[in-house]
Amino acid sequence: MKNLEGKNALVTGGNSGIGYATALELKQQGAQVIITGRRTEAVDKAAAELGVYGKVADQASLDSIEELAQHVSDRFGKIDILFINAGVTGKSTIEQTSESFWHQLTDVNLKGAYFTLSRLIPILRDGASVIFLSSTVATRTIPGSSVYALSKAAINSVVKTAALELAPRKIRVNAISPGPTETEVFDKMGLDHDRIQEVKGALKSKIPLATLGDPADVAKMVAYLSSAQSRFITGSEILIDGGMTLL
């Protein structure tokens, strides 16, 4: 069923992982999809595979965000669906955190996400849906995750304020917080295959449903929150974590 026929959707960080899966799901449900990413080669490759429009944009740069907003407005007009997904991760204890590490994470995850919404509000159609990708780490205490966690906790707060500010225009704003999910992040850990499987096994042991999430799980929730079926949901954080936060 094509619940999103005739809608324009923008997915930041749409060239891989959850963003890629979401772009695919939104397209399959009838939306015209625009994806962004920082690397030209990766964006072009993903856009060609998905059959969507690709635009290079750096969420850490306000100038790039403003250029993206103007470009999308000129080419597509109004946006009906905005999935602010682009993000980076990393671990460091509070004692060892450097200023550069702080900015590496917060410039993308917090400042970038915040100003992506801010600068795209004028081109959101009345009745649009905005979804932020948050994380269960925003409310779970994990050593070494303080900067990442605070960036996501702050986003959860922004979601609630934005939901109130945009309610007069019937624009809904929500967050999705996934638990451990099968994405390329495991391949970027610098570990061999056996060690990666050990890490995944350890994570599964902490999840009541005993499995990792799939990017498609998040993608389908984004599509639901983008449709008329979720017309009465705003200011919410949706957990997709297999029950991990229950423990």
Side-chain angles (χ1 to χ4, degrees), residues 102-201:
W102 169 280
H103 284 298
Q104 177 187 340
L105 268 65
T106 59
D107 281 0
V108 177
N109 295 353
L110 179 52
K111 185 190 80 173
Y114 182 97
F115 281 106
T116 296
L117 172 61
S118 170
R119 297 308 190 253
L120 266 67
I121 285 175
I123 65 169
L124 290 176
R125 199 184 310 278
D126 288 358
S129 177
V130 178
I131 303 104
F132 283 85
L133 188 74
S134 185
S135 171
T136 54
V137 176
T139 51
R140 295 185 68 244
T141 304
I142 301 175
S145 69
S146 62
V147 181
Y148 181 72
L150 71 84
S151 71
K152 295 301 186 178
I155 285 301
N156 288 350
S157 177
V158 171
V159 163
K160 296 180 185 300
T161 304
L164 286 178
E165 291 184 359
L166 297 176
R169 292 179 55 195
K170 305 299 182 186
I171 295 173
R172 296 177 296 106
V173 186
N174 293 288
I176 296 175
S177 290
T181 304
E182 286 271 15
T183 66
E184 293 88 342
V185 69
F186 289 103
D187 299 325
K188 298 176 181 178
M189 296 174 68
L191 305 175
D192 61 31
H193 175 77
D194 290 343
R195 180 62 181 132
I196 289 174
Q197 295 310 307
E198 289 178 15
V199 171
K200 290 182 179 180

Side-chain angles (χ1 to χ4, degrees), residues 7 11 15 21 36 42 52 67 157 163 210 246-247:
K7 294 185 180 293
V11 178
N15 57 275
T36 73
V52 303
E67 195 274 330
S157 177
L246 299 174
L247 301 179

